Amino acid sequence: MNIVVLGPPGAGKGTHSSRISDRYDLIHITTGDIIRDEISRETEIGRKAKKYVQSGKLVPDEIVIEMMRKRLARKDCKDGFVLDGFPRTVNQAEALDEITDIDVVINLGVPKDVLIKRLSSRRICRDCGEVYNLVSMRSEKPGVCDECGGELYQREDDRPEVVEKRLEEYDKQTKPVLGYYRKKSKVKDVIIKKEEPVEKIVQMVFDALDETVD
Ligand code: AMP
């Protein structure tokens, strides 16, 4: 099964893709992580992508499509994958259709005020990559990872001025992708109206997928 998880920044694409990947035994591919890794290794792709990521803009299609074409050609993708953060433009969706078939698209719908609150309070562990929300931190120690004791940091593009641009890019460039897949009847909507416990939303996602698998 090949799955795409769509949704605005802060909708929980990473969390839900990771849970889907565990449950259905699929490879989890996160475009944002691949791009951040290219930037930190200062590769050619990283050098080209950096200014777009820092300002909250989408990296140009030709760069991302080539990068994903290579990733999806790897052997570990042949038994199915969950795509988290790709495609984000109609051009990318068309290119993906040429590379492989997509079975289902999960659309995570979350109100804008919830997205902004989540993104501004998101913190990530520098050592193990665990993602936290300042409000739901379990530990007593501020700024420290509950899992491994690593230092927590805020992604540069989670700062308020960049978040606004990312949400704008989503409306302009990624919403049409939803229309693209709706025409193909591939979309399963998981819509929340207010903040809900994460396990409840995970279950809604699994229910939507189980309908497709059966
Ligand atoms: P994310 O971690 O998914 O929020 O992505 C972080 C940033 O990486 C985005 O704001 C974009 O600058 C870039 N990015 C991630 N995925 C894509 C994509 N499919 N197309 C273009 N840019 C992307």
Side-chain angles (χ1 to χ4, degrees), residues 27-116:
I27 287 286
H28 176 190
I29 300 172
T30 311
T31 313
D33 281 351
I34 301 177
I35 294 173
R36 278 185 289 278
D37 180 58
E38 298 276 353
I39 293 174
S40 72
R41 290 189 293 116
E42 298 183 0
T43 63
E44 198 188 333
I45 291 180
R47 279 195 298 275
K48 285 184 190 155
K50 191 171 178 177
K51 61 175 187 289
Y52 297 99
V53 176
Q54 279 179 338
S55 58
K57 289 189 190 145
L58 291 186
V59 175
D61 283 339
E62 60 273 19
I63 299 174
V64 179
I65 290 171
E66 224 16 66
M67 192 182 86
M68 294 305 284
R69 196 188 297 282
K70 284 198 188 124
R71 180 64 191 89
L72 292 169
R74 276 166 50 185
K75 262 206 244 120
D76 61 354
C77 291
K78 75 174 182 1
D79 293 329
F81 54 75
V82 193
L83 281 182
D84 161 6
F86 184 85
R88 264 168 145 128
T89 65
V90 171
N91 263 342
Q92 292 178 16
E94 286 169 349
L96 179 60
D97 271 345
E98 282 169 21
I99 299 170
T100 189
D101 291 329
I102 296 302
D103 299 297
V104 57
V105 175
I106 292 287
N107 171 41
L108 300 171
V110 179
K112 194 171 171 189
D113 60 322
V114 174
L115 296 174
I116 292 173

